[in-house]
Amino acid sequence: VGGGRKVSVGALIRRLPRSMRVPGMVLAIPTVLALATAGCEARSDRPRSRGSTITILSGSDERVFTPLRYPAQFLVFLPLVTYDESGEVEGRLARSWEHSADYREWTFHLRTDVTWHDGVSVTAHDIEFTLNLLGRPEVAGYPRIEPTVVDDSTVTIRYGQPTDALDWWTVYYPKHLLDELDPGEFWDWEFWLRPVGNGPYRYVRHVPKTMVELEASPSYYAGKPSIERVNLKFAESPRAELLSGSVDAAGVERADLRELAGEPRFRVYDHLFPDMGWVYGLYWNHREPLFQDPAVRRALTLAIDRRGLLQALNLPEDLRVFDVMFTGRQYWRDELPEPLPHDPELAEALLEEAGWRDLDGDGVREQEGREFRFTVTTSPSEQNDKASVYLQQQLRRVGAQMDVQLVEGRLVWERMKSGDFQAALARQNLGSAVARRQLFGEDSWLGYPNPRIPGLLDTLEVSIDPMKRDRIYGQLASIFQEDLPATFLYPFVATIVAHRRVRGLESPFRADPVMHMEELWLDDTN
């Protein structure tokens, strides 16, 4: 359209008024053409850098395209849906979708213009094959998902429980290339080093211990991306790679941000997922006598200046502080209950009332000969290290001594599961029904005994109506505000530093260049 130029349909849709953009609706072609000829920006109109190549730091693991490896897989493979720059769902492989009355079965109508990079059409058989493959216990063990092919462009997916969360994280694989491979060797397939995908970029070469090179796919259904080549570089030390000019973008630790943010070459972007599921917190073991009294848990929460913690970790200033579980919708609409403030004087008073007093003047409270001393288990990282020191200082001011035990990340999870911990500084996915049950349900890893919680979690899992879910979360919030079974600290934030030549990035939903490469362009003109 427009003199032979290719225009991204996704870009055109995003220029529609929000009232015209309905998830799953197929946009009428005349409307698209009218918008295109009205002067919408085409990819070819954007300034290009010489060679139009971008280099992204990808860490040291060379199997960057294996399942559940975010975000590199989105360069080569497509999900059914994704989030746009406003945090709303839009189609990728799926052009439209609908659900059954009980929200257990979803029907997806696929685009018919998507091909694998070897030219074979993508069909519903590929969707069914991938989900069945990922459901195998030796692969990923996806729970209770039953895909059924209706025809080549239609697939139904039946879930074990109602769901209104469309799956944006699963990408799909070519049945015609993988059907005969041994699933028992899934994670070692050569395919993950030299993939054949259906996404905006296709595999070119793999240089061991150095990089993977991809090129823009001319057959991509939304039009060939503006950036011609993407190099995923295998290296550590994002700060050094960025400062040396070896890479154009990298995910960074917040500790490196002050120096990098001061460089005029760079721009900083904070990536938050719309569902806001991942939360860092102090998860108390309620079997431990220290933490069985809600007044003590309240005192420990009041003792921590959580807004100050955000500043100490150099996290975004506009992150919300909270004491409850919530939906992403509630977070983004600012509908969370008011959290406990930082009030060390009230914290000390509550500890005094609970019988914890500093009798010998050493700064640590005691009760019946026992010091208020406990160990928090966490995994080593610069952010966890800084958070641990900060929390130690805050709690020591009210007479609680927190020691720190560092273990490998997987062991934190295993110790929480077994109950072999006093407290854990960890990241948990509170957006997951499974994680909510593990932490706060009938067989709570935390030993949390509130009998009202399991029934509410059961009701939540079978409730899809947003208003009803908000009411359930409101009931849960009331309990959490009273019990404080955990002290939530801050949501997970991924921070990306990119050279200013990389254009099209936005915080918070289009901050990761690898997830949104097809919508970006390079500009060396300023």
Side-chain angles (χ1 to χ4, degrees):
V1 296
R5 296 176 299 168
K6 292 184 179 181
V7 183
S8 163
V9 174
L12 293 175
I13 292 174
R14 282 187 289 277
R15 285 168 171 76
L16 283 175
R18 181 64 64 188
S19 61
M20 295 176 62
R21 292 173 53 192
V22 179
M25 179 177 291
V26 180
L27 196 64
I29 291 178
T31 305
V32 176
L33 293 177
L35 283 170
T37 55
C40 287
E41 179 186 40
R43 284 182 175 144
S44 58
D45 289 339
R46 297 169 178 165
R48 289 174 181 262
S49 65
R50 293 182 297 276
S52 193
T53 297
I54 187 172
T55 300
I56 308 290
L57 187 66
S58 187
S60 58
D61 187 347
E62 303 195 16
R63 292 181 176 270
V64 295
F65 303 114
T66 51
L68 309 181
R69 283 297 305 273
Y70 308 121
Q73 61 178 2
F74 295 112
L75 289 168
V76 175
F77 301 105
L78 289 176
L80 286 168
V81 299
T82 191
Y83 286 114
D84 68 11
E85 73 276 14
S86 300
E88 296 189 17
V89 176
E90 67 177 11
R92 279 297 183 264
L93 285 176
R95 57 181 172 81
S96 64
W97 49 88
E98 64 264 359
H99 57 78
S100 61
D102 64 0
Y103 282 80
R104 290 179 182 270
E105 185 171 282
W106 286 75
T107 299
F108 293 91
H109 304 280
L110 307 183
R111 302 182 189 277
T112 57
D113 55 352
V114 181
T115 61
W116 298 104
H117 294 152
D118 61 2
V120 176
S121 294
V122 176
T123 72
H125 298 278
D126 296 304
I127 309 302
E128 179 188 51
F129 165 77
T130 299
L131 291 176
N132 285 336
L133 178 66
L134 294 175
R136 297 178 67 104
E138 68 268 39
V139 179
Y142 269 31
R144 302 169 65 187
I145 298 177
E146 300 175 8
T148 303
V149 171
V150 177
D151 56 45
D152 280 355
S153 62
T154 310
V155 63
T156 64
I157 302 176
R158 185 158 184 86
Y159 297 90
Q161 60 189 29
T163 181
D164 64 346
L166 288 174
D167 178 358
W168 60 266
W169 56 88
T170 301
V171 296
Y172 295 88
Y173 307 117
K175 178 180 180 180
H176 68 285
L177 296 178
L178 305 181
D179 198 19
E180 300 300 322
L181 298 184
D182 180 4
E185 300 177 358
F186 177 86
W187 298 101
D188 296 318
W189 284 352
E190 189 71 11
F191 178 81
W192 305 125
L193 294 177
R194 297 171 178 79
V196 175
N198 51 17
Y201 288 85
R202 63 187 183 185
Y203 170 82
V204 175
R205 64 181 178 131
H206 174 207
V207 182
K209 299 182 180 181
T210 305
M211 52 91 78
V212 166
E213 181 180 357
L214 307 173
E215 64 181 2
S217 172
S219 62
Y220 185 52
Y221 79 90
K224 185 179 178 181
S226 291
I227 297 176
E228 294 282 356
R229 291 188 178 268
V230 177
N231 295 330
L232 299 177
K233 183 176 181 180
F234 306 135
E236 301 293 344
S237 185
R239 174 179 165 278
E241 295 289 335
L242 285 162
L243 290 173
S244 70
S246 300
V247 299
D248 294 294
V252 302
E253 294 282 349
R254 302 297 299 194
D256 292 331
L257 199 54
R258 288 186 176 89
E259 181 177 358
L260 293 169
E263 278 274 349
R265 290 178 289 166
F266 301 129
R267 301 289 182 268
V268 178
Y269 303 92
D270 293 310
H271 181 50
L272 282 78
F273 291 100
D275 55 17
M276 296 302 297
W278 290 97
V279 171
Y280 284 89
L282 281 170
Y283 296 91
W284 313 111
N285 188 340
H286 293 240
R287 305 173 192 88
E288 166 63 47
L290 278 176
F291 308 125
Q292 289 177 353
D293 184 349
V296 170
R297 300 194 296 270
R298 179 174 298 272
L300 297 176
T301 304
L302 288 163
I304 301 170
D305 182 358
R306 289 177 285 181
R307 183 61 59 189
L309 176 61
L310 298 181
Q311 296 174 352
L313 299 179
N314 202 24
L315 289 166
E317 295 180 357
D318 57 353
L319 288 180
R320 295 184 176 90
V321 175
F322 47 88
D323 295 319
V324 302
M325 295 190 294
F326 49 83
T327 66
R329 187 176 78 153
Q330 290 171 319
Y331 183 92
W332 295 113
R333 293 183 179 183
D334 198 13
E335 296 174 348
L336 307 187
E338 191 69 23
L340 286 178
H342 175 225
D343 192 337
E345 291 183 2
L346 179 55
E348 290 188 277
L350 288 173
L351 290 172
E352 289 280 340
E353 290 175 13
W356 291 97
R357 297 178 176 85
D358 183 10
L359 300 176
D360 56 10
D362 66 350
V364 179
R365 294 178 181 272
E366 301 146 5
Q367 185 188 78
E368 298 178 355
R370 178 180 181 179
E371 286 189 323
F372 199 116
R373 179 186 293 270
F374 66 94
T375 298
V376 65
T377 302
T378 192
S379 57
S381 73
E382 194 158 4
Q383 181 166 290
N384 282 348
D385 293 347
K386 287 195 170 187
S388 297
V389 171
Y390 181 91
L391 295 170
Q392 280 180 318
Q393 294 171 344
Q394 295 276 293
L395 295 176
R396 185 58 187 262
R397 288 173 184 169
V398 299
Q401 176 61 45
M402 184 186 96
D403 299 321
V404 180
Q405 179 185 51
L406 296 177
V407 300
E408 190 264 328
R410 178 178 54 83
L411 292 178
V412 177
W413 185 85
E414 290 182 357
R415 291 195 179 186
M416 291 182 69
K417 181 179 179 180
S418 68
D420 182 22
F421 74 107
Q422 289 184 293
L425 172 58
R427 185 178 75 182
Q428 297 290 332
N429 184 9
L430 302 185
S432 161
V434 173
R436 290 193 296 265
R437 283 185 174 279
Q438 289 171 340
L439 292 171
F440 308 115
E442 189 172 1
D443 298 316
S444 166
W445 289 359
L446 307 182
Y448 176 49
N450 194 306
R452 292 180 290 171
I453 295 291
L456 288 172
L457 294 181
D458 288 343
T459 306
L460 186 64
E461 289 187 24
V462 298
S463 302
I464 296 300
D465 177 75
M467 299 297 291
K468 185 174 182 180
R469 289 175 65 84
D470 283 351
R471 287 195 296 272
I472 297 170
Y473 271 102
Q475 292 175 273
L476 289 167
S478 296
I479 297 171
F480 270 58
Q481 287 179 301
E482 180 181 340
D483 286 356
L484 292 168
T487 299
F488 299 134
L489 300 174
Y490 52 88
F492 169 69
V493 179
T495 300
I496 293 91
V497 172
H499 195 281
R500 65 183 182 183
R501 70 195 287 261
V502 182
R503 308 297 296 274
L505 294 172
E506 297 177 22
S507 299
F509 301 131
R510 198 199 281 173
D512 192 320
V514 180
M515 289 186 70
H516 300 280
M517 191 67 68
E518 66 191 271
E519 299 165 347
L520 308 183
W521 67 100
L522 301 178
D523 185 358
D524 285 334
T525 60
N526 53 37

